[in-house]
Amino acid sequence: MAVITPVTTDTVASTAPFWRLKGFPVIPVSILLLIAFVAVFADVLAPHDPQIGSLARRFKPPFWLEGGSLVYPLGTDHVGRDVLSRLIFGARVSMVVGITAVLVAGSIGTLLGIMSGYLGGWADQVVMRITDTWLALPALTFAIFLAAIVGPSELNIILILGLVYWTRYARVIRGEVLSLKQREFVRLAVVAGCSSRLIMWRHILPNVINSAIVLATLMLGVVIVTEASLSFLGVGVPPPKPAWGLMMADGKKGLMVGYWWLTVFPGICIMLMVLSANLLGDWLRVKLDPQLRQL
Amino acid sequence: MKQYIARRVGYSLLSLFLLSVTIFLFVRVTGDPVSLLVEPGASPEDIENIRRQLGLDQPLWEQYWHFMASLFAGDLGQSFYYRVPVLDLYFQRLPHSLLLAAVAMALSLLIGIPSGILAAVRVDGFWDSAGKIFALLGLSLPQFWVGLVLILFFSVYLGWLPSSGSGGVLHLLMPAFTLGWYFAAAHMRLTRSSMLEVLGSEYIKLARLKGLPEALVIGKHALKNALIPVITLAGINLVVMINVAVVVETVFAWPGIGRLLYEGITFRDFPVVQGVVIIGGAMIVMVNLLVDILYALIDPRIRLES
Amino acid sequence: MPSPLLSLENLSTHYVSQQGTRVVRAVDEVTLSLNAGETLGIVGESGSGKSTLALTILRLLPAAARITSGRMMFEGENLLEKSDEEMRQVRGKRIAMILQDPMASLNPLFTIGDQVGEPIRVHEGASRASAWKRAIGLLRSVRIASPETRVSQFPHEMSGGMRQRIVGAVGISCEPRLLIADEPTTSLDLTIQAQYLKLLRDLQREHGLALIFITHNLGIVAKMCDQLAVMYAGRVVEHGPVSRIFNRPMHPYTRALLGSIPRMADNRDHLTAIEGQPPDLASMPPGCAFAPRCPEAFDRCRAEAPPEFTIDHETRARCWRAPVDASAKAAS
């Protein structure tokens, strides 16, 4: 049908800085930057040691409730540790684990995705069959299984999450590479006699990097939820390190007797971080890579 | 058609094989299999016994052979904690998981499909925006956080619902909703996008040109087409739900398979963990195969293609 | 002269962007009429508003489009004054339309019989069984072999040409007075195209249908149509009997279109293409929309849009030269 659809032009010129672009998620990005800032300067910002408490001052409520004080603005937990300080150091755990795990998953997935898509043949078959199989395992269950084998530590959790999530990367990147392979500039490079390695490195990789960034942002939220869930189940970053998921698991016991601040505050932190990452990822997806809209 | 099914079956068998290899290798190569597979606190003679029984001193391929032989015999090992075969434990817990998954699935479809249709029929309207927020929250919020907030509100504050355990219908509500929300969001998004695609099709235009009432255009011509992918996903998700409820079942102390997995972790009961992962993975591979075959049987277009 | 079956008077349909800042005049002040049993061809480049005009007549426009002015008289009733529900009862029953893409026009999940009989059930309240029986008859009338078995089959079991004829059967199922065909043959190969056009003509004769034929294929127009309207940038630039337009086109755009038809007898190496691009409908030049591409344009064309000149009872054209040329011809 030759129905004429009105052409809507983006009123913002392409020279505008990216934060002026239409629909740029200002609040989510501010939240993420704030969490990153807190994570970096946790030592300076935290009023107390996050790992040392005193049983004499356990279960203190937040300052605005009766019995609370501004010394422990968000209260104390079951061993008397300052909740605010633990939240601040928890930001560091979430950021470090989240970002490095996404980097690990992204590097493995992008590399194998490019090789699988570009080289085809048996390399493609092997990678894709492994991908299919691993995707059949629910991510959290797979992560629990791996954590049960190698035992929980911060480094192990990062490796486990990278191992669990690279398959999603590989599948999307492979699809992109398959269509890139048909494009003129790649064919020209082949005709010009460039080696496969050079083509993958110089022509394919730069063209899938947009998708990789979008995926990374979307994956950040997923990885953080998984990390928090592992902590919550007791196979995440081991105590006494303050991870938000672990704080909620510890706080759960106090929930029925009214110590709500132990679960609510870390919960809000996780929620804000994950929502922000997802909103940013959604925006990037539409803005950077229209092909990924179906994701 | 036959060729298509044969190829699918082949892929699935390959997947099952890779699954077993993955699990086998991770246990033998990454960790110390003895510490995982032998009960904590066992005597040196016991350890030696089990080492020989599992053939841990033999080459890997032989060990794999043993591993597969016992799998085919239905032997997933013995739980350290409960001292019963893992398979028995699994089947003991399965009905609870099925019940929870069924209710959560019903909730997710009841919420997801109508809101997805509404969002697609009134794109950018109020319901579309509300639905987008609902879906974003459902996909973003960790389940333990949703669960704990529900407990805080309905059990601690209002005192209406029991916070944990199983028994009556009331016990089911919060865990089913917590588990179902995530899937409701997924089902809603898929219904919306699939509905939008169908609504833009030529046959919907023709249905309107025929002068059919809008209710018939949406309810008959669009819905049936739009729901095919949703029902497919729901079929797979029902099985997925059984295997991903570990967080929900932990929060609400629901005695299903997820809870079994959690107990496996906390009691360092490795055979249980391994068994749950193997059965879960195999189940999902099988349901994917089943759905592919059913799809081929139902959808005439695929039938023609192959 | 009997009153026409359909007459459009100063009909305009505009697309308005969400912010309301951009207006696209997809159909602009169109005046046309069509008698019962006649065939009207509408030709124009893609984007000239042909399809929007068809959807305007059926009032099935996308949400962004508005019918901003005019009257649409059909069998003595103004379609623009009808409620949505009344309009729905016109669609498929009194005015039917065949879409461009027959392959995609049938719902893959319902039987042919269901889809062909559906308008009968909805508009005439026929039972399932009698609609089914009528569907068999309709399939037979569109020359589908062994309709009794075909009726319970699904679209994917049919060839492209058969599906196109089935879509035709859907169109005539309620014996409409007017059938609009929007480029119904573009996706068919040539022999099937010819068969289908013959079928449409036969159906028209049998049922006394009026036909609006939207196409960019002037060859089809020459074979099929009585009247012709040439559209450019949302406006009808020339309207009249096909034979007159082919022999004596009044508008330079029509002349250019006719000049771009390849002919077997031609020994020219290349076709006369029309120079330039059709205008952006959202920012139209102040004068005649065709002026920038028109070889005969003069100052007035660029400054002032020409009105629709009525040369005689069967000839109308939107061109400043038209009345001059006509009187010059009459004088000679």
Side-chain angles (χ1 to χ4, degrees), chain C residues 90-104:
Chain C
V90 171
R91 286 195 283 266
K93 172 140 181 67
R94 293 161 63 192
I95 306 178
M97 181 167 168
I98 299 173
L99 292 169
Q100 279 172 345
D101 185 357
M103 307 300 274

Side-chain angles (χ1 to χ4, degrees), chain A:
Chain A
M1 286 246 62
V3 172
I4 307 128
T5 38
V7 190
T8 48
T9 45
D10 215 324
T11 42
V12 182
S14 55
T15 49
F18 65 88
W19 60 87
R20 290 275 189 81
L21 287 177
K22 211 168 107 195
F24 182 74
V26 181
I27 298 173
V29 170
S30 313
I31 292 174
L32 286 178
L33 287 177
L34 179 72
I35 296 174
F37 176 82
V38 168
V40 171
F41 296 104
D43 304 278
V44 188
L45 292 169
H48 300 276
D49 187 307
Q51 301 190 6
I52 297 171
S54 143
L55 292 179
R57 44 161 207 263
R58 55 206 292 253
F59 295 128
K60 274 193 180 298
F63 70 89
W64 63 86
L65 293 180
E66 213 183 307
S69 76
L70 273 173
V71 181
Y72 304 102
L74 297 182
T76 58
D77 68 4
H78 60 293
V79 285
R81 294 174 297 197
D82 178 37
V83 170
L84 178 64
S85 303
R86 287 180 67 72
L87 286 179
I88 289 173
F89 275 90
R92 182 177 281 180
V93 173
S94 284
M95 272 286 170
V96 168
V97 173
I99 289 174
T100 38
V102 166
L103 283 179
V104 172
S107 315
I108 305 176
T110 308
L111 188 75
L112 290 179
I114 289 177
M115 293 202 340
S116 163
Y118 187 78
L119 298 176
W122 65 267
D124 185 32
Q125 281 299 320
V126 170
V127 174
M128 279 304 112
R129 292 286 79 78
I130 293 179
T131 303
D132 281 351
T133 308
W134 285 22
L135 281 173
L137 288 168
L140 184 60
T141 315
F142 194 18
I144 290 171
F145 170 71
L146 294 176
I149 293 175
V150 295
S153 77
E154 202 163 350
L155 179 66
N156 281 352
I157 294 301
I158 290 168
L159 294 177
I160 287 168
L161 292 174
L163 213 54
V164 168
Y165 284 111
W166 70 267
T167 46
R168 296 163 189 229
Y169 253 95
R171 180 174 277 188
V172 176
I173 298 293
R174 173 181 174 268
E176 298 243 311
V177 173
L178 283 182
S179 70
L180 278 174
K181 234 168 104 177
Q182 306 302 321
R183 299 269 295 275
E184 284 301 310
F185 63 92
V186 177
R187 294 185 169 192
L188 274 176
V190 175
V191 172
C194 295
S195 70
S196 290
R197 190 192 301 189
L198 189 71
I199 292 173
M200 285 192 274
W201 187 249
R202 293 279 295 278
H203 296 284
I204 304 277
L205 181 64
N207 281 293
V208 295
I209 215 79
N210 265 5
S211 305
I213 291 172
V214 173
L215 271 176
T217 323
L218 289 171
M219 202 65 88
L220 184 63
V222 177
V223 164
I224 289 167
V225 171
T226 311
E227 182 270 322
S229 303
L230 287 175
S231 294
F232 181 80
L233 295 172
V235 282
V237 177
K241 259 207 165 181
W244 291 339
L246 185 66
M247 290 174 72
M248 290 189 73
D250 288 343
K252 193 195 155 201
K253 294 153 207 151
L255 195 60
M256 292 309 290
V257 281
Y259 304 138
W260 54 268
W261 58 91
L262 298 179
T263 43
V264 167
F265 293 131
I268 289 173
C269 289
I270 297 173
M271 180 181 84
L272 285 178
M273 186 161 174
V274 174
L275 270 179
S276 303
N278 283 350
L279 284 169
L280 176 63
D282 271 339
W283 181 80
L284 280 175
R285 176 171 62 182
V286 175
K287 212 71 196 174
L288 280 184
D289 199 335
Q291 288 173 0
L292 288 176
R293 274 181 202 174
Q294 276 81 24
L295 268 184

Side-chain angles (χ1 to χ4, degrees), chain C residues 38-53:
Chain C
E38 254 184 5
T39 304
L40 167 69
I42 299 179
V43 294
E45 291 164 288
S46 39
S48 60
K50 312 175 296 234
S51 295
T52 307
L53 178 60

Side-chain angles (χ1 to χ4, degrees), chain B residues 186-207:
Chain B
H187 294 153
M188 191 205 128
R189 282 196 172 179
L190 186 64
T191 306
R192 178 179 181 275
S193 67
S194 146
M195 193 74 183
L196 277 179
E197 199 188 318
V198 169
L199 284 179
S201 71
E202 289 287 295
Y203 56 82
I204 291 302
K205 203 181 273 171
L206 185 69

Side-chain angles (χ1 to χ4, degrees), chain C residues 92 115-120 124 134 138 168-176:
Chain C
Q115 299 189 59
V116 174
E118 205 170 22
I120 304 168
E124 296 171 17
R134 291 260 300 271
L138 283 162
V170 172
I172 58 164
S173 57
C174 288
E175 310 216 327

Side-chain angles (χ1 to χ4, degrees), chain B residues 1-6 293 295-298 302-304 306:
Chain B
M1 181 73 179
K2 274 197 185 116
Q3 209 185 342
Y4 172 82
I5 291 178
I293 292 176
Y295 218 102
L297 292 175
I298 292 166
I302 298 181
R303 219 181 322 173
L304 199 72
S306 48

